[in-house]
């Protein structure tokens, strides 16, 4: 009785006929399945990165702060007059920020490279490099500069994540008007990266618009500065590392094996039928 439920009926060996064509198709079939299997295996063991958008503050534990790293070179402005000022809409107004900052003389003391790490509030505001904190203002401060680095939040360097985390890195304004002010308007986008272990890093991408101008007031020319005016986007970008589920891999492998054998069987059957028909024609037995 159990034999009647066997859906995989066997054909006796003496009723089958091996052919060279069938052998060739079988070898090609096995090589093709091996290629697809290795491709799927590579995709299965490789972590994929998916992204999503949502409206929220992703880093609520930061206390409403964003860490900023700035590295800027001013080849024609001495270090003793270079300073960093920070302002925002919460009433913060700090002139000559010095914590976690460093000034490196350039061009035998004629220029300066400013490196600083500081926090800003998650509200619209600005920070600017200027001579406002100097005890004596230079007559003609030269604001030509090169921005080596400007980043917000944690460092994210992942091969498959191409974001504008350092959009101003390499910005060169050495050929601009020495007496001009520079406005960099930044739109900051919160970004979260979650790895396969669900460890999160919080960073910020940003877009930039630049304006260069010489400003005047009723008392004369205004002291130039390099302004970074920022505002935060309510949209958060989240990148998540994911491992493809095992059941998807098994399903795909079964589909590859079954589909390949089915198609190969159809091709072999067509070739065999055509060859048998041709033999009958040759023998004159086709009616």
């Amino acid at each position: 009785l159990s034999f009647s439920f066997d859906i995989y009926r066997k054909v006796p060996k003496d009723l089958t006929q091996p052919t060279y064509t069938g052998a060739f198709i079988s070898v090609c079939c096995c090589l093709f399945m091996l290629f697809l299997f290795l491709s799927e295996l590579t995709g299965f063991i490789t972590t994929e990165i998916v992204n999503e958008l949502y409206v929220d503050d992703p880093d609520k534990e930061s206390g409403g702060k964003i860490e900023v790293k700035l590295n800027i070179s001013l080849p024609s402005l001495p270090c003793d007059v270079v300073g960093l000022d920070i302002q925002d809409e919460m009433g913060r107004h700090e002139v000559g920020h010095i914590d976690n900052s460093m000034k490196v003389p350039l061009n035998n003391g004629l220029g300066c490279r400013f490196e600083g790490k500081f926090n800003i509030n998650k509200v619209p505001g600005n920070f600017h490099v200027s001579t406002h904190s100097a005890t004596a203002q230079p007559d003609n401060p030269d604001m030509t500069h090169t921005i080596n680095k400007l980043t917000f939040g944690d460092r994210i360097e992942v091969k498959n994540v191409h974001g504008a985390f350092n959009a101003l890195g390499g910005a060169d304004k050495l050929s601009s008007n020495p007496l001009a002010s520079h406005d960099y308007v930044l739109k900051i986008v919160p970004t979260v990266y979650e790895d396969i272990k669900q460890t999160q890093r919080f960073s910020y991408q940003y877009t930039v618009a630049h304006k260069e101008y010489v400003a005047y007031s009723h008392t004369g020319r205004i002291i130039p500065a390099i302004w970074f005016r920022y505002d935060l986007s309510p949209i958060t970008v989240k990148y998540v590392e994911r491992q493809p589920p095992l059941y998807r891999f098994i399903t795909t492998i079964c589909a590859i094996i079954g589909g390949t054998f089915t198609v190969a069987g159809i091709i072999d059957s067509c070739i065999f039928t055509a060859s048998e028909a041709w033999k009958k024609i040759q023998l004159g037995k086709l009616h």
Side-chain angles (χ1 to χ4, degrees):
L1 179 63
S2 60
F3 292 160
S4 62
F5 291 100
D6 185 4
I7 61 175
Y8 300 103
R9 303 297 179 92
K10 310 302 184 293
V11 179
K13 264 189 177 180
D14 56 351
L15 297 180
T16 60
Q17 178 182 347
T19 63
Y20 288 110
T21 304
F24 176 76
I25 292 176
S26 298
V27 172
C28 292
C29 178
C30 291
L31 292 176
F32 183 67
M33 285 192 296
L34 178 62
F35 169 74
L36 292 181
F37 172 78
L38 293 177
S39 299
E40 287 298 323
L41 181 61
T42 302
F44 175 70
I45 63 178
T46 302
T47 302
E48 63 178 356
I49 298 177
V50 297
N51 60 75
E52 58 187 44
L53 303 176
Y54 61 92
V55 179
D56 196 8
D57 179 7
D59 190 12
K60 295 183 175 64
E61 298 180 359
S62 65
K65 304 289 185 181
I66 300 175
E67 184 181 72
V68 184
K69 297 183 182 70
L70 174 64
N71 185 321
I72 185 171
S73 298
L74 300 99
S76 302
L77 197 64
C79 284
D80 57 350
V81 297
V82 173
L84 177 70
D85 310 327
I86 306 172
Q87 298 174 284
D88 63 34
E89 292 188 0
M90 291 184 67
R92 181 182 183 183
H93 189 178
E94 185 176 349
V95 179
H97 178 87
I98 58 174
D99 294 338
N100 297 316
S101 63
M102 177 176 63
K103 300 177 185 179
V104 180
L106 302 175
N107 302 332
N108 297 319
L110 298 177
C112 184
R113 184 176 78 245
F114 178 87
E115 300 178 20
K117 183 170 68 173
F118 53 94
N119 291 327
I120 58 174
N121 295 314
K122 292 182 179 179
V123 295
N126 74 80
F127 52 91
H128 51 277
V129 177
S130 68
T131 61
H132 297 163
S133 61
T135 53
Q137 292 295 323
D139 293 332
N140 295 302
D142 187 335
M143 287 296 167
T144 55
H145 62 278
T146 300
I147 300 174
N148 306 307
K149 179 181 180 181
L150 176 60
T151 60
F152 299 85
D154 297 335
R155 181 179 180 181
I156 295 179
E157 288 189 358
V158 182
K159 182 179 179 181
N160 294 326
V161 175
H162 305 287
F165 297 101
N166 187 22
L168 276 174
D172 187 338
K173 301 299 177 184
L174 297 179
S175 60
S176 61
N177 185 341
L179 302 179
S181 290
H182 297 264
D183 260 12
Y184 294 99
V185 181
L186 315 178
K187 192 68 173 181
I188 300 176
V189 181
T191 304
V192 183
Y193 186 86
E194 183 178 304
D195 62 22
I196 199 69
K197 299 178 181 178
Q198 296 186 334
T199 301
Q200 292 186 334
R201 282 177 282 173
F202 301 96
S203 187
Y204 297 83
Q205 304 181 62
Y206 60 93
T207 58
V208 185
H210 173 257
K211 179 176 68 173
E212 177 184 332
Y213 60 94
V214 178
Y216 291 90
S217 68
H218 63 280
T219 58
R221 181 169 52 81
I222 297 176
I223 298 173
I226 303 170
W227 298 81
F228 300 91
R229 307 181 191 274
Y230 61 87
D231 192 6
L232 272 77
S233 168
I235 303 296
T236 295
V237 180
K238 185 176 184 180
Y239 298 97
V240 183
E241 289 184 356
R242 288 183 182 170
Q243 188 76 39
L246 179 61
Y247 72 84
R248 185 186 301 173
F249 174 70
I250 295 175
T251 303
T252 304
I253 295 304
C254 291
I256 289 173
I257 295 173
T260 304
F261 271 121
T262 300
V263 174
I266 293 173
I267 294 174
D268 180 60
S269 177
C270 291
I271 294 175
F272 180 76
T273 302
S275 64
E276 288 298 308
W278 177 253
K279 288 178 182 178
K280 290 181 179 181
I281 292 175
Q282 293 295 100
L283 296 174
K285 295 181 179 180
L286 185 63
H287 300 289

